[in-house]
Amino acid sequence: MTSSTDAGQPELLWQPTPEQVAATRIAEFREWLRAERGLELPDYRALQEWSVSDLSGFWGAVADFFEVAFHERPQRVLEAEVMPGARWFPGATLNYAEHALRSGPGKADGDPAVVFAREDGVGAELDFGELRARVAAMRAAFAELGVGRGDRVAALAPNCPEALIAFLAAASLGATWSSCSPDFGVRAVADRFVQIEPTVLVAVDGYVYGGRTFDIRSTLEELRAQLPNLAATVLVDYVGAGGLAGAHDWSGLLERHRGAELAFEPVPFDHPLWVLYSSGTTGLPKGIVHGHGGMVLEQLKAIGLHADLGPGDTFFWFTTTGWMMWNFLVGGLLTGARLLLFDGSPGYPSLSALWELAERYRVTYFGTSAPFVQSCLKKELRPAESFDLGALRTLGSTGSPLSADGFRWIAEHVGADVQIASVSGGTDLCTAIVGAAPDVPVWLGEISCPLLGAAVESYSEDGTPLHGEVGELVLTKPMPTMPVFFWNDPDGSRLREAYFDTYPGIWRHGDWIEITERGSLVIHGRSDSTLNRGGIRMGTAEFYRVVEALDEVADSLVIDTSGASGEGELLCFLVLSPGARLDDLEPELRGRLRDQLSPRHVPNRFLLIDEVPQTLNGKKLEVPVKKILAGADPDRAVSRDALRNPAALNPFVQLARGSDG
């Protein structure tokens, strides 16, 4: 397998032509900087270095280039370049929803804004005029129900137009939004929404997934009983399951308020826009609050410059409303791109479902997860042969590191001319900090570049910057999209503990990263689930790349039980494909791990499990499993309500108690 650590440079998979670069928004931005600011920044590396050496100059330029609509102008761009505590654009007022809905290129009333597709064939299309009208109507309805500036609107809804409309209506009022996917259990939803005390709950009556329909009205009844300050519930007839006592009908509210005026409440730059949540695997999920201004600037930069999306483009990312990628996807409206919202299983009725949508709606940017790419690879799908993907420019991947095999599969079977945007960031920042740019090449198995405005470094344990070595991913300078605060954290202690305890004044992100001589990057997995064998430290991502490259391995989990008491065992838990046998596979797995990683990283044992425990957002549960195997009380190591498949923990609990069962 070619990787950044092999001798020589890795294979170049994609490189834009000078003509392609000249047609991008990022080239337009560089030319604008030359004409308006007198800056000569001939390539991406020069632009990126300037963006982190002159934070005020860069973020001020982003605001001016994209004509950010300030109601009150800022006194300055940045006050106190420190972390935590940086204040961005003090004195400024603006509104996120205004930037999503204001007129501009590609955003006239008749221009396409949203297309919706559900796995069972239900769909809808909205132009900007109709989107504005529905947001205005729901804004008036929310105001009538008592929602005002600073109140919270919570939603238990899938990735559908109603969720988008409700969010924009709430934001237009200066209210704070928060959403969960309807497949979350009542405890998981309550753990999130009880904290923020919403005024209004928007909910669907059910959802569809994998060919089945699920009625969630009983969940809603239980949830409402735990929200004593709830003034109203608005129910969307989504699957025809029926009504809910005391709830307002979504369609009725829209109709009654049709013709209402669309207005936008000017709010301070850091006014809470939405609350996202940490995984909640070891206690209540932390409520991570982002501000209007930070998200406006970040999404204009990330989607307008890095994704190069604008009028005439269609932006798709497979996501639920419980993942930050939904919030990121919504940002496509700021640039005038059309959003493709999909609700359902990416594998129903087959793994071709999303590729068929890409053909039907002429998707420009196709966003997905690394596990989806891996699934397509193992099923030997060849989308470019089966579908017309001629409109596709970029394939985005996030959620976990994309394997070199995944890179190669995209290049060979989606399109050699399709840019591979492997990106990494997270809920904490609600964006990517390393990823791709339309004027930077793509190398096999590598993330192309740090994003503009992100001062990315790799640090040793003692805080020394590293190059060509694996270290902690840190940000050495503030970004406008860093959390404004954590909910119910009045003194900021939980926020400081989450990011700034390891390196005072430096944001520790929690990933192992390697920065190459090309300025590209390789993520080696989460730094808090590190494998440490005989002094050699290795991220889990490398392990999964090797093990899961075998068709016979459907999924895997690797745990190093070493701790303060000394070196423990390296355990590899396997979910095998139908018909596969561990006895047949184990010699090959040991050989591959020895040859491609090191002899120290051949597991002591391979153990079979039925499924890998995952968070509600699909992350492998490495750290809590390690704690359980070390003897921790399972109920203290992880909140089962934060898991997609809580029963998957049972084999690890049994193993910790001395049973192989």
Side-chain angles (χ1 to χ4, degrees):
M1 185 195 318
T2 307
S3 76
S4 66
T5 54
D6 291 337
Q9 187 161 297
E11 182 180 346
L12 184 66
L13 289 184
W14 177 90
Q15 187 164 23
T17 65
E19 293 77 19
Q20 288 172 323
V21 172
T24 63
R25 183 76 69 89
I26 204 167
E28 182 187 345
F29 180 55
R30 277 205 302 268
E31 177 56 30
W32 182 90
L33 288 170
R34 187 193 65 77
E36 297 292 327
R37 301 289 198 267
L39 293 168
E40 295 289 346
L41 302 167
D43 55 23
Y44 182 82
R45 179 167 286 196
L47 178 61
Q48 207 280 334
E49 289 176 354
W50 170 72
S51 76
V52 295
S53 64
D54 184 0
L55 294 181
S56 293
F58 171 69
W59 290 107
V62 170
D64 290 345
F65 178 73
F66 285 104
E67 299 179 347
V68 169
F70 292 115
H71 290 253
E72 295 289 335
R73 297 291 304 176
Q75 298 153 6
R76 61 187 63 83
V77 172
L78 177 59
E79 186 173 275
E81 191 176 306
V82 296
M83 292 187 292
R87 285 193 65 215
W88 292 95
F89 294 82
T93 61
L94 76 171
N95 189 286
Y96 179 99
E98 181 174 5
H99 290 83
L101 296 172
R102 66 178 176 173
S103 295
K107 297 171 75 169
D109 279 353
D111 287 332
V114 177
V115 60
F116 169 60
R118 201 165 77 180
E119 70 165 41
D120 59 357
V122 171
E125 296 193 34
L126 298 176
D127 61 27
F128 271 97
E130 182 60 22
L131 180 60
R132 292 183 186 108
R134 294 191 190 187
V135 171
M138 194 49 58
R139 180 185 197 274
F142 283 165
E144 184 178 81
L145 295 173
V147 176
R149 176 168 164 165
D151 291 328
R152 274 76 65 199
V153 174
L156 190 60
N159 184 15
C160 62
E162 290 83 359
L164 174 64
I165 291 161
F167 158 62
L168 292 171
S172 75
L173 288 164
T176 302
W177 172 260
S178 193
S179 60
C180 286
S181 178
D183 58 349
F184 282 23
V186 64
R187 172 69 183 277
V189 181
D191 281 351
R192 290 156 171 78
F193 289 170
V194 167
Q195 296 184 57
I196 65 171
E197 301 177 287
T199 300
V200 167
L201 173 67
V202 177
V204 293
D205 57 346
Y207 65 96
V208 297
Y209 193 87
R212 298 175 59 198
T213 299
F214 300 85
D215 183 344
I216 65 163
R217 288 176 298 159
S218 62
T219 296
L220 296 175
E221 293 282 18
E222 290 184 60
L223 177 63
R224 291 198 298 175
Q226 299 183 56
L227 299 172
N229 297 322
L230 192 66
T233 301
V234 179
L235 187 69
V236 178
D237 179 4
Y238 193 64
V239 297
L244 190 67
H248 299 267
D249 175 61
W250 171 276
S251 297
L253 288 176
L254 272 185
E255 193 57 40
R256 183 148 60 87
H257 293 281
R258 183 166 281 278
E261 177 188 1
L262 181 60
F264 304 98
E265 173 75 9
V267 295
F269 190 87
D270 58 0
H271 183 78
L273 173 64
W274 52 49
V275 183
L276 305 181
Y277 301 94
S278 64
S279 61
T281 53
T282 54
L284 276 182
K286 292 186 285 286
I288 301 169
V289 181
H290 297 106
H292 276 247
M295 291 318 307
V296 166
L297 282 171
E298 177 59 34
Q299 292 186 341
L300 287 170
K301 178 211 78 176
I303 299 170
L305 297 180
H306 284 275
D308 197 32
L309 288 167
D313 293 325
T314 297
F315 183 28
F316 167 74
W317 209 294
F318 175 74
T319 181
T320 72
T321 58
W323 188 22
M324 58 135 294
M325 292 311 301
W326 183 83
N327 306 73
F328 187 79
L329 172 63
V330 166
L333 292 175
L334 275 65
T335 71
R338 178 177 72 162
L339 307 184
L340 170 55
L341 310 180
F342 172 75
D343 177 32
S345 167
Y348 181 83
S350 75
L351 279 171
S352 293
L354 298 185
W355 301 111
E356 192 275 329
L357 287 179
E359 175 186 70
R360 188 192 316 168
Y361 296 113
R362 308 290 296 163
V363 168
T364 312
Y365 192 114
F366 183 102
T368 185
S369 65
F372 176 78
V373 172
Q374 202 70 16
S375 296
C376 291
L377 183 162
K378 290 193 171 187
K379 289 290 186 182
E380 299 184 353
L381 260 63
R382 299 185 175 185
E385 294 181 13
S386 305
F387 302 100
D388 177 4
L389 302 179
L392 187 61
R393 283 202 311 263
T394 309
L395 189 144
S397 172
T398 192
S400 59
L402 181 63
S403 69
D405 287 341
F407 273 83
R408 191 177 297 285
W409 177 84
I410 294 168
E412 292 179 355
H413 299 300
V414 178
D417 57 346
V418 172
Q419 183 182 16
I420 303 169
S422 178
V423 305
S424 185
T427 301
D428 314 82
L429 298 158
C430 198
T431 192
I433 51 176
V434 295
D439 52 350
V440 178
V442 175
W443 291 277
L444 180 70
E446 298 183 355
I447 296 173
S448 295
C449 56
L451 267 57
L452 297 174
V456 173
E457 295 273 7
S458 173
Y459 267 21
S460 68
E461 287 187 17
D462 63 3
T464 303
L466 301 172
H467 290 276
E469 296 181 55
V470 178
E472 287 274 4
L473 169 57
V474 299
L475 292 170
T476 60
K477 295 189 177 183
M479 293 177 66
T481 190
M482 286 177 175
V484 177
F485 56 85
F486 280 179
W487 204 264
N488 293 331
D489 182 28
D491 63 357
S493 59
R494 290 199 300 155
L495 186 144
R496 288 192 298 275
E497 180 185 352
Y499 310 118
F500 301 107
D501 266 10
T502 305
Y503 308 106
I506 300 292
W507 173 288
R508 174 184 171 271
H509 198 64
D511 285 326
W512 286 121
I513 194 166
E514 175 186 352
I515 302 174
T516 76
E517 61 186 14
R518 295 168 293 287
S520 58
L521 311 106
V522 180
I523 298 280
H524 292 263
R526 295 294 295 172
S527 59
D528 51 10
S529 59
T530 312
L531 309 178
N532 189 342
R533 310 300 295 164
I536 297 177
R537 300 163 73 89
M538 185 190 78
T540 55
E542 277 69 25
F543 199 96
Y544 298 139
R545 286 184 183 122
V546 174
V547 171
E548 294 174 19
L550 288 176
D551 292 340
E552 295 87 348
V553 178
D555 205 353
S556 65
L557 184 72
V558 60
I559 303 292
D560 177 9
T561 64
S562 300
S565 59
E567 186 161 310
E569 287 189 297
L570 187 65
L571 303 176
C572 178
F573 298 92
L574 299 173
V575 180
L576 297 185
S577 301
R581 286 168 35 87
L582 179 57
D583 289 346
D584 299 332
L585 278 178
E586 187 169 336
E588 183 173 3
L589 284 169
R590 289 183 177 277
R592 283 177 174 236
L593 288 164
R594 182 181 298 106
D595 296 342
Q596 297 183 32
L597 297 177
S598 80
R600 295 178 186 267
H601 292 98
V602 177
N604 298 88
R605 287 189 282 167
F606 290 92
L607 300 167
L608 296 182
I609 54 175
D610 292 331
E611 55 182 336
V612 171
Q614 297 178 340
T615 68
L616 289 166
N617 289 332
K619 307 280 188 180
K620 298 187 188 198
L621 215 68
E622 295 169 327
V623 176
V625 167
K626 179 173 180 174
K627 290 179 179 177
I628 289 170
L629 294 179
D633 180 346
D635 293 329
R636 290 182 176 273
V638 63
S639 169
R640 289 179 182 261
D641 296 291
L643 305 188
R644 173 177 291 174
N645 51 352
L649 278 181
N650 295 340
F652 303 99
V653 175
Q654 293 166 356
L655 183 62
R657 291 173 178 165
S659 167
D660 288 336

